[in-house]
Amino acid sequence: MTKIISLFNNKGGVGKTTTIFNLSSHLATKGKRVLLIDFDPQCNLSIATIGYNEFASYLKRTEKYPFGKTIRAFAQPSLQPTQSPAVYSTQPKYQEYQQQEIPYESGADIKSSQSSIDIVAGDFWLNSFADILTVGSDVVQGSGLYKFLIPHLLVEALRKQEKRYDYVLIDLPPSFNTLVRSALYCSDYFLVPCTPDSFSAYCVNLIGEVLPSFIEDWNQGKRRYEDSNKYDTTIPLKGQPKFGGWIFNGFDTTVYTSVNKRQEIGSDKFHLDKIISTMRDSLFPKLKGISSYDCLPEFSTAEPAGKIEDMNTMASEIQKLNVPLNELSSYKPTMYYSWSDSQKDLMRRINNEYEILSDYVISNLS
């Protein structure tokens, strides 16, 4: 069964996009089929995976592609009964096989080959889409719940193309806006990336304040909707995102000779401990307070599911070369003549952590 997973944090710069790109690559090497949905108006995931120029061509609106070949081609027509939605997926640029753009037209019987990683490109228009979605009438009053299920409906459209996925990873903006609500209502799990700074623990606490209200809004609308749509089989299963774990990103390490072991530097270890205690003492009790479903699975722990060191300049190289970290060493860097030994060692350490994270996802979020 396909599992939809949102990477979610109100704080920006926590590594959501980089984590999604690298995690998808490691999941693919383990034989998993992954769909990436760029649901962030900044579109960084699209640029990182398919390249700037290629993404620009996807944004272009023509007579043949009136909404481009991005997520807009599916989302905007879904709001307009006179339009036929289309979904276009392609593969990350680094993959050696030929990219394909396979349209889904409503009611058509189209078959396609299945690739290991597909991406539905984002669109700056998502800012306007966020304004179209209205919590009061669409969600709380139950009159437009399906407007908030675009990521789920998109996955179902691809299923009609016989493209099925083990995991769908959704990249989100750093906010609590309607796009985030929409993704969470569609998601089976959410992962929370955090960085070693004074605001991360605060944002974790804020998630505990906001998420229960998101769920209560959905439940109110669902009750109203079900009064006149008692045979609907989709709405009752949505609005139940579970905490899948958190990821500690962007910290520095050093080898402490006293213990002959590489560990986080002192200031980053302080923030790590602070986030762990906030998870345990603040977020978890609030998630347990959601009564409509079990938001906190039994496998949940306050310890991070993954610990990804600061990639330094390699993060920008991933963006420029459009390759994930586990492929990066085979590409010539843009800023150097070649990769240094220390950079290669850092790649090995981080790739090992992504291996651990992907195993965690497969073991628990399946």
Side-chain angles (χ1 to χ4, degrees), residues 35-39 46 69-71 87-90 118-122 154 158:
L35 174 67
L36 310 180
I37 298 178
D38 192 348
F39 216 45
S46 301
K69 294 185 288 183
T70 68
I71 194 169
V87 57
Y88 299 94
S89 65
T90 188
D118 287 334
I119 177 171
V120 175
L154 189 153
L158 285 168

Side-chain angles (χ1 to χ4, degrees), residues 80-351:
Q80 301 169 339
T82 59
Q83 300 286 342
S84 297
V87 57
Y88 299 94
S89 65
T90 188
Q91 288 78 52
K93 191 176 182 179
Y94 79 93
Q95 294 185 334
E96 294 180 355
Y97 47 79
Q98 184 179 7
Q99 293 184 358
Q100 306 172 23
E101 301 102 27
I102 305 169
Y104 161 76
E105 302 296 345
S106 182
D109 182 17
I110 300 175
K111 297 183 179 181
S112 68
S113 60
Q114 175 74 66
S115 58
S116 57
I117 303 175
D118 287 334
I119 177 171
V120 175
D123 198 299
F124 305 126
W125 168 85
L126 285 169
N127 281 311
S128 298
F129 181 56
D131 293 334
I132 293 170
L133 300 175
T134 306
V135 175
S137 58
D138 292 337
V139 177
V140 177
Q141 295 301 319
S143 61
L145 293 178
Y146 274 95
K147 292 181 182 179
F148 277 77
L149 295 184
I150 290 297
H152 162 76
L153 296 174
L154 189 153
V155 172
E156 291 303 303
L158 285 168
R159 192 190 303 274
K160 292 181 181 179
Q161 293 182 10
E162 297 192 0
K163 294 175 77 71
R164 293 175 171 83
Y165 302 94
D166 297 294
Y167 299 101
V168 177
L169 304 180
I170 306 179
D171 197 13
L172 291 171
S175 71
F176 289 120
N177 69 5
T178 52
L179 296 176
V180 172
R181 280 183 180 253
S182 175
L184 289 174
Y185 290 152
C186 293
S187 295
D188 297 289
Y189 295 97
F190 62 93
L191 293 170
V192 182
C194 297
T195 46
D197 55 71
S198 57
F199 291 104
S200 283
Y202 170 77
C203 288
V204 167
N205 181 70
L206 199 58
I207 290 171
E209 297 286 346
V210 172
L211 184 60
S213 68
F214 283 7
I215 303 306
E216 178 55 30
D217 289 343
W218 178 268
N219 288 336
Q220 286 187 48
K222 182 176 72 171
R223 288 191 292 269
R224 292 186 171 95
Y225 177 85
E226 289 176 336
D227 286 342
S228 55
N229 299 273
K230 62 180 179 180
Y231 298 113
D232 189 300
T233 59
T234 298
I235 295 300
L237 301 178
K238 298 304 174 183
Q240 301 179 35
K242 297 180 180 180
F243 176 78
W246 74 282
I247 302 159
F248 191 46
N249 272 331
F251 59 91
D252 292 316
T253 65
T254 189
V255 177
Y256 289 91
T257 56
S258 58
V259 293
N260 194 28
K261 184 178 180 181
R262 180 176 291 278
Q263 295 178 333
E264 301 88 359
I265 63 172
S267 60
D268 290 352
K269 181 63 165 61
F270 169 82
H271 290 299
L272 171 61
D273 292 341
K274 180 65 174 178
I275 298 170
I276 289 174
S277 64
T278 304
M279 289 280 175
R280 182 184 60 244
D281 301 332
S282 179
L283 179 63
F284 284 11
K286 291 169 183 173
L287 297 185
K288 289 179 181 177
I290 298 175
S291 59
S292 57
Y293 70 101
D294 292 328
C295 185
L296 198 65
E298 291 184 0
F299 63 80
S300 299
T301 172
E303 296 291 329
K307 297 171 70 176
I308 311 300
E309 287 184 57
D310 186 358
M311 295 184 188
N312 300 314
T313 56
M314 289 186 295
S316 61
E317 291 293 295
I318 288 172
Q319 290 275 344
K320 293 175 183 177
L321 296 171
N322 308 122
V323 295
L325 189 68
N326 60 351
E327 299 281 342
L328 194 59
S329 63
S330 61
Y331 286 73
K332 186 179 184 303
T334 63
M335 299 175 62
Y336 314 99
Y337 178 76
S338 62
W339 298 111
S340 67
D341 290 340
S342 61
Q343 288 173 321
K344 291 179 181 178
D345 182 58
L346 180 58
M347 288 183 200
R348 284 192 292 268
R349 293 202 307 271
I350 297 178
N351 276 319

